[in-house]
Amino acid sequence: MMGQSETLRGRVLRTVGGVYEVEIGDEVTECSLRGRLKQEKGIGRVAVGDGVELERMDDGGCVITALLPRSSRLSRRSADGRREQLIATNVDQLGAVLSLTRPEPVFSLLDRFLVLAEANDISAFVVCNKVDLPGANAVSELFVVYREIGYDVLYTSAKRGQGIEELREHLAGRITLFVGSSGVGKSSLLNALQPGLGLRVGEISVALERGRHTTVAAALHPLDVGGYVVDTPGLGKMRFWEMGERDLAHCFREFEPYLGDCKFDDCSHVHEPGCRILEALEHEEIHPLRYESYRKILDESGEESSRW
Ligand code: GDP
Ligand code: ZN
């Protein structure tokens, strides 16, 4: 048949105004959506991270013809708080980056990131950067608790190249979202990992933050070792859509063995008699800082709405 087109598969790296940058094999091509897919609104719409099927047209251009199933999705709330907006799909893991000193680690923020990952069924690991700085060693011991509850903790120095190989192994072949306050060294780590990468990430963030009212757009950056790093400008300030089906206590993985054993079925683990979580806290089976984070997030979610 004349004009028969070949079916290809690719991954959406970025979208800008109806144009989709898709990685197809080794090339990145600007594509459009086939009519039917254009009608889709909200989370049904093709997004950054999506695997797609495409057809190459006679003129050499490509059009996205189908959306492949998603393994995960990361969303935020629209400004009016009513709608779910996709940030990125198919994110495999979240890398929470902190610096051991300058700036000091904020454990409640780290726990918030870990909750986000748990709630979305995305795995997570912790990167402690700036191990080269004086005083870093003493602080690094505070992260032992995260290892004990099952998170990988990597120690790095972007400056000295320490731990970079291990980080690279962690990223290979997966889609990773890095989160962390500014100044902890995310760009530096990415640059150490793959020169030029962190720089690009930084530039994009600045450009997008200038236009306040433009939608915060994510982008996927291919890694030489395979896999991608997701760049989401201003992620820290976003309100996330929802934390999945499970409630907050289930997002603290070390709480898991005790849940369901409290005296009251609807125990909030704050003041109730016969609470197994409070008991575990007392017996030092749950770390006080982790419990404190639970309380903080619980209080805030109550203030904002019944749903967070
Ligand atoms: P980002 O905001 O998280 O992307 O952080 P940057 O990568 O921009 O780094 C913030 C500052 O920390 C810069 O001045 C970096 O040079 C510095 N920095 C980053 N990584 C390290 C490190 O491993 N050791 C030390 N001493 N400084 C670092
Ligand atoms: Zn309880």
Side-chain angles (χ1 to χ4, degrees):
M1 195 172 101
M2 284 265 294
Q4 188 167 27
S5 46
E6 89 193 93
T7 298
L8 304 162
R9 281 195 173 193
R11 184 166 310 272
V12 178
L13 300 183
R14 187 196 306 254
T15 87
V16 182
V19 177
Y20 291 74
E21 263 182 45
V22 183
E23 182 188 44
I24 308 167
D26 288 337
E27 59 170 315
V28 177
T29 310
E30 291 191 349
C31 308
S32 56
L33 292 183
R34 166 118 333 148
R36 187 175 50 80
L37 291 175
K38 263 190 224 165
Q39 311 303 313
E40 296 282 350
K41 297 266 186 300
I43 62 164
R45 187 112 182 177
V46 173
V48 169
D50 275 331
V52 291
E53 270 181 9
L54 312 98
E55 271 174 29
R56 195 177 290 284
M57 311 315 286
D58 292 337
D59 65 359
C62 285
V63 60
I64 298 171
T65 54
L67 174 61
L68 297 174
R70 294 168 173 161
S71 66
S72 71
R73 62 176 205 256
L74 205 62
S75 310
R76 65 167 191 160
R77 277 178 199 273
S78 60
D80 64 10
R82 298 218 174 134
R83 280 170 304 117
E84 177 181 356
Q85 289 180 334
L86 276 181
I87 301 167
T89 65
N90 297 317
V91 174
D92 295 307
Q93 56 179 357
L94 188 141
V97 186
L98 303 95
S99 56
L100 291 170
T101 176
R102 283 190 259 164
E104 305 288 309
V106 180
F107 290 97
S108 61
L109 184 64
L110 170 59
D111 291 332
R112 193 173 289 279
F113 288 138
L114 296 177
V115 163
L116 173 73
E118 296 288 344
N120 287 283
D121 268 323
I122 295 169
S123 73
F125 63 99
V126 183
V127 182
C128 300
N129 190 36
K130 308 199 187 183
V131 291
D132 58 284
L133 288 177
N137 262 347
V139 183
S140 68
E141 281 160 30
L142 299 173
F143 288 88
V144 170
V145 56
Y146 291 95
R147 275 208 172 140
E148 283 172 355
I149 60 178
Y151 293 105
D152 285 337
V153 181
L154 276 56
Y155 295 94
T156 60
S157 167
K159 198 172 182 177
R160 301 238 174 107
Q162 248 168 291
I164 300 303
E165 196 44 50
E166 199 187 346
L167 179 61
R168 191 176 285 130
E169 281 165 21
H170 249 77
L171 303 183
R174 300 181 182 154
I175 302 182
T176 307
L177 172 70
F178 275 111
V179 290
S181 320
S182 78
V184 298
K186 293 182 299 299
S187 304
S188 307
L189 282 170
L190 293 175
N191 266 326
L193 204 80
Q194 185 170 314
L197 182 64
L199 194 69
R200 215 158 60 215
V201 171
E203 279 168 6
I204 289 160
S205 306
V206 170
L208 274 166
E209 265 158 14
R210 249 185 255 128
R212 277 277 163 83
H213 298 289
T214 56
T215 318
V216 181
L220 243 59
H221 301 280
L223 297 169
D224 293 342
V225 288
Y228 307 83
V229 167
V230 189
D231 175 35
T232 57
L235 186 68
K237 287 168 236 148
M238 282 182 198
R239 295 194 299 161
F240 290 103
W241 171 238
E242 59 178 335
M243 298 295 165
E245 302 293 291
R246 289 173 289 172
D247 63 19
L248 182 60
H250 286 276
C251 295
F252 284 75
R253 52 168 65 174
E254 73 275 38
F255 289 14
E256 203 74 41
Y258 309 102
L259 296 174
D261 290 342
C262 296
K263 185 171 171 192
F264 300 105
D265 285 343
D266 61 349
C267 189
S268 67
H269 322 300
V270 174
H271 50 71
E272 293 88 343
C275 173
R276 293 282 289 122
I277 297 291
L278 291 171
E279 216 176 280
L281 179 68
E282 192 147 311
H283 295 154
E284 297 179 5
E285 286 152 7
I286 287 174
H287 198 283
L289 280 178
R290 288 277 294 168
Y291 181 74
E292 201 178 293
S293 292
Y294 168 75
R295 286 293 306 273
K296 250 188 200 167
I297 301 173
L298 189 69
D299 288 350
E300 282 166 25
S301 63
E303 280 161 24
E304 198 164 282
S305 70
S306 57
R307 205 171 181 203
W308 45 279

